[in-house]
Amino acid sequence: MRRVRAAVIGAGHLGRYHAEKYTQLPGAELTAVVDIDAQAARTLAARCGTRALTDYREILGEVDAVSVVTPAATHLQVARDCLLAGADVLVEKPITPQLDAADALVQLAAARGRILQVGHLERFNPLMPALRREIRRPLFLECHRIAPYKPRGTDVDVLLDLMIHDIDLALDLFGGEVIGVEAAGAPVLSDFADIANARLRFAGGRIANLTASRISMKSERKLRVFERDACLSADLHTGQLAVFRRVTGADGSAAITRHEETFAGDALRAEIDAFLHCVRTREPPRVDGVQARRALAVTLEVAAALRRALEEMLAATEPSHAVH
C-alpha cells in the first residue's frame, strides 16, 4: 500500500477529528496540522504526533493530500493553492459558499488531474447502503436535522451549515431535477437564518420536505422515505433503520411487516479512508466537486426563496430590518 503524505489545514473542532483519523488509518502519514491559531495547531499536533504550522503554504509540494477544514469563505483560496501545488483535496462542505468559486475548483481539479472530494459526511453513514437497497419507488422524503445553538458554524446560515447535508441526500436518493423550491425560516440568535424549512419539488411529482435548526433543545438527524406501500425510517445519529411494508396475504388481507436493524461505524473514518483510496488509485470520489456543486446550487435556491419569504414577512412588521 502506497503511503500517502497528508496534512490537515484547520485545527478547529472538525479538523481535530480529521487529524485523528489520518493517524489511525494504515498507509497514511500525517505530516502536519496547520492553523492560523498557533496554540490550536500545537495542541493538535502534539496529540497526533506531528508538526504544527501556521501557514499552509509551507506544506505545498511536500504532501500528496490535504483535508481543508477551514471556514467556508476560505475554501476557494486554500483548496485552489493546494490543487495548484499538485495535492489531492478533501474539502469540508460546503465546497464554497458561491457557485462561481465552486466551478473554479471543479475546473481546476479536472485540468490538473487532481482528486477533489467534498465532505458530505452522511453519504458515508453506515446505514446508507442498506437504505438505498430498500428504496424502490420513493414518492416523498422528509428530513429533520436539529441541534442546540453553538457559535461554531455561524459564519454561514443554517442552510449551508446543516440543511445542505439533507439536500445532498435528497438529490442522491431521488435523482432527477429540482423544479420548484419553497422555504420559510428566521434568524434568531445569529445574523443569519437559524431555523428553516424547505420544500423541494422534483420532476415526476416527488417531494422532499427538509427542516433544519441550530436553536433546538436536542440533537436529531432523521430521514424518512415514503413509497406507495412502505415507509423507511432512518435515524442517522443512532444508525437505526426501520422498514415498514404493506403485504397482501393469499386471502387478499393486508398486513404490515416491520424490519429493524442498527448499523455501527465511523462515517468520518470511512470518508477519509475512501479519500485515501482515491488518492492511491485515481478513482473518482463518491462525492466529487460536481455533486457538491449541485447540492450547493439547490441550497442557494433555497436561500433565495428564504430571503424572499423573510423580506415579505419583515416588511409587514419591521420595514427597516435588514435581511441577510
Side-chain angles (χ1 to χ4, degrees):
M1 182 183 294
R2 180 169 73 87
R3 197 162 188 80
V4 176
R5 299 168 301 165
V8 174
I9 305 172
H13 176 79
L14 191 52
R16 180 186 73 186
Y17 292 115
H18 275 248
E20 290 173 351
K21 302 310 175 189
Y22 281 112
T23 64
Q24 296 166 7
L25 288 165
E29 176 188 354
L30 183 64
T31 65
V33 294
V34 186
D35 200 286
I36 57 174
D37 182 335
Q39 183 57 51
R42 285 195 295 267
T43 300
L44 182 55
R47 177 181 299 177
C48 296
T50 189
R51 58 178 174 152
L53 299 172
T54 56
D55 187 344
Y56 70 87
R57 289 171 294 188
E58 292 185 47
I59 64 169
L60 300 182
E62 297 181 3
V63 295
D64 306 304
V66 299
S67 277
V68 177
V69 201
T70 59
T74 68
H75 285 182
L76 174 61
Q77 178 181 340
V78 177
R80 179 179 59 198
D81 289 347
C82 293
L83 291 169
L84 285 170
D88 295 315
V89 172
L90 167 56
V91 60
E92 267 303 331
K93 62 81 196 164
I95 180 173
T96 61
Q98 301 87 22
L99 285 177
D100 57 351
D103 289 335
L105 287 183
V106 170
Q107 292 163 11
L108 178 60
R112 295 288 176 134
R114 295 293 94 199
I115 299 296
L116 176 61
Q117 181 172 319
V118 183
H120 284 280
L121 186 64
E122 296 291 16
R123 296 277 203 103
F124 295 88
N125 191 300
L127 66 68
M128 288 306 297
L131 176 62
R132 288 190 184 92
R133 287 193 299 270
E134 292 286 352
I135 291 176
R136 298 173 184 174
R137 296 186 63 186
L139 301 174
F140 183 79
L141 178 152
E142 66 174 1
C143 295
H144 290 85
R145 185 175 297 264
I146 61 177
Y149 182 79
K150 298 183 181 72
R152 174 177 55 84
T154 53
D155 58 318
V156 294
D157 62 23
V158 72
L159 306 177
L160 287 173
D161 184 19
L162 298 180
M163 188 182 284
I164 193 170
H165 281 295
D166 298 316
I167 289 174
D168 175 66
L169 289 180
L171 292 169
D172 181 48
L173 295 174
F174 269 178
E177 181 183 358
V178 175
I179 59 176
V181 172
E182 298 176 18
V188 180
L189 297 180
S190 75
D191 293 332
F192 303 96
D194 294 310
I195 184 169
N197 174 264
R199 185 176 178 86
L200 309 182
R201 185 159 51 93
F202 285 76
R206 296 166 299 168
I207 298 292
N209 190 68
L210 315 176
T211 298
S213 170
R214 56 188 181 190
I215 51 168
S216 298
M217 299 299 292
K218 63 177 182 178
S219 293
E220 181 178 280
R221 293 154 42 211
K222 290 187 176 179
L223 179 155
R224 297 177 182 88
V225 179
F226 299 88
E227 302 182 347
R228 178 66 182 83
D229 60 356
C231 170
L232 293 74
S233 178
D235 188 322
L236 300 170
H237 177 65
T238 64
Q240 184 178 57
L241 176 64
V243 179
F244 305 85
R245 290 197 185 278
R246 185 183 65 184
V247 295
T248 303
D251 60 355
S253 62
I256 301 295
T257 64
R258 174 172 177 163
H259 172 74
E260 292 188 28
E261 193 169 354
T262 299
F263 299 86
D266 184 330
L268 183 58
R269 181 184 172 113
E271 179 183 69
I272 293 176
D273 194 27
F275 174 56
L276 293 170
H277 175 77
C278 293
V279 171
R280 295 187 189 99
T281 65
R282 314 315 295 169
E283 293 178 11
R286 187 180 306 177
V287 189
D288 61 16
V290 173
Q291 296 174 70
R293 194 263 187 207
R294 186 183 179 209
L296 174 64
V298 175
T299 304
L300 294 179
E301 282 189 60
V302 174
L306 177 57
R307 280 195 301 272
R308 291 191 296 269
L310 281 171
E311 286 167 356
E312 181 178 350
M313 177 183 65
L314 293 174
T317 55
E318 299 179 69
S320 62
H321 195 291
V323 177
H324 298 279

